[in-house]
Amino acid sequence: MNIIISNQSDLPIYEQIAESFKEKILSGELSGGELLPSIRSLAKDLRISVITTKRAYEELEKEGFIETIPGKGCFVKAKSTELLKEEVLRKIEEHLVNAVHMAVSYGIEQEELEDILSCLYEEGIDHGK
């Protein structure tokens, strides 16, 4: 499992791990029912405390991304496509709120911002992103 953590990040390590798993789940890289690495195994691979890994898994479970089956391990929770889409839309909205705040603070008109978004979206479509 390829998870990258950074000591320079403002996020605590457990949040970096949880965010990495969320991204993999939301992108479809990890699918419902898939077994995650054991807490000990992941901690060993990342060279971090088992407590930190356990906390990341607890956060993921609390948010409904994974489920723990005693004696079997932690699995990606099978979610409906609609719930996954809502989570993605929420993340996009967070980024757009930041863009709107920046645009307003620099006097960029809504039409200009919409043009930028349209251009970026078209470029993404053209490049298969």
Side-chain angles (χ1 to χ4, degrees), residues 10 27 39 55 61 96 99 114 116:
D10 291 337
S27 72
I39 291 171
R55 186 163 181 197
E61 189 161 23
L96 289 174
E114 289 172 354
I116 292 168

Side-chain angles (χ1 to χ4, degrees), residues 44-109:
K44 183 179 176 188
D45 289 347
L46 296 176
R47 296 186 177 138
I48 59 171
S49 163
V50 170
I51 295 168
T52 302
T53 308
K54 185 176 189 296
R55 186 163 181 197
Y57 277 31
E58 286 171 349
E59 289 293 314
L60 289 165
E61 189 161 23
K62 184 170 69 175
E63 293 178 27
F65 283 91
I66 67 170
E67 59 187 339
T68 302
I69 301 174
K72 295 195 179 203
C74 297
F75 296 84
V76 175
K77 197 170 191 177
K79 285 185 148 185
S80 74
T81 328
E82 197 60 36
L83 287 175
L84 287 175
K85 184 176 180 181
E86 281 301 316
E87 182 67 22
V88 170
L89 287 173
R90 186 188 62 75
K91 284 184 173 278
I92 291 170
E93 188 176 323
E94 286 176 16
H95 291 288
L96 289 174
V97 164
N98 291 333
V100 168
H101 284 297
M102 182 179 274
V104 168
S105 69
Y106 286 101
I108 306 296
E109 296 293 325

